[in-house]
Amino acid sequence: MKYKLLCIDIDGTLLDDDKKLLPQVIDSLKKETAKGVRIALISGRMPAGVGLIEQELGIQCVKACNAGSYILMGDKCISSRTLQPKTMKIIYNKIAKKNHLPLWVFHEEKWFVTDIDKQVKKEIEIIRYEPEVIDAEAAALRWEAEGIGPNKLLIAAESDKIPRLYEEIRDLGLSDIDQASSSDIFIEIFPSGVDKGEALHEICRNLEIDRNEVVAFGDHELDIPLIEAAGIGIAMGNAIPELKEKADFVTKTNNEAGISYALEHYLTGE
């Protein structure tokens, strides 16, 4: 297949379980860029977290951040979709506060939280960014007056609590949101109609690339629309079963440099 763009999820896909970039993966992607192939990092991470990986790769990438709701080409934002501030207020009161959990709030380049717990501390260590603690209700009132809103909300909890929280959010009946899990401890909430597949289409429009010239890699629920939108969708060996069913090929795991394996074997027809 002749492809021009690689769309790659970060956590569980590009990085191993220790959140490290394997040298073999870096080398493989540099070989692709030397052939003129563009790289897009499509992640639930905020811009600072995606930019950190771009620096470690040493490759200029398109960065689709916050589950695809905020897309950067270089320093230029080419797409920003937001939730209504009142939606943030509802989810804070009905879900986060009720369950004694911080609400993570992402707006453009910034990360806010309503409190700091062990999950927030862990994320700070991973992305090397300190969030600002805010009052969600006061922020919602201020943002409503300013005509702005968050690109994404996130609830982090123990894995055994996530299915119940998922149902609680669904039962709110909010028509302006979609939700998906990016891992077994995260629920990501973003504007209705926004997903990684739509981010792929937006990137293709800007780069003037047909979606059939795109290869996508992913591992979790948030990546399913990405895999479906690409010309070829590749699931990591560690991917959830639902994503593997949608994929054209299942490569090795993220700990086994699965991206490199697919590039060197499946996509070359070997």
Side-chain angles (χ1 to χ4, degrees), residues 81-93:
R81 296 279 301 278
T82 59
L83 294 159
Q84 297 180 57
K86 67 178 182 181
T87 297
M88 176 176 79
K89 184 176 174 182
I90 291 169
I91 291 173
Y92 170 68
N93 284 311

Side-chain angles (χ1 to χ4, degrees), residues 58 107 109 168 203:
H107 172 68
E109 310 278 338
E168 286 185 16
I203 292 166

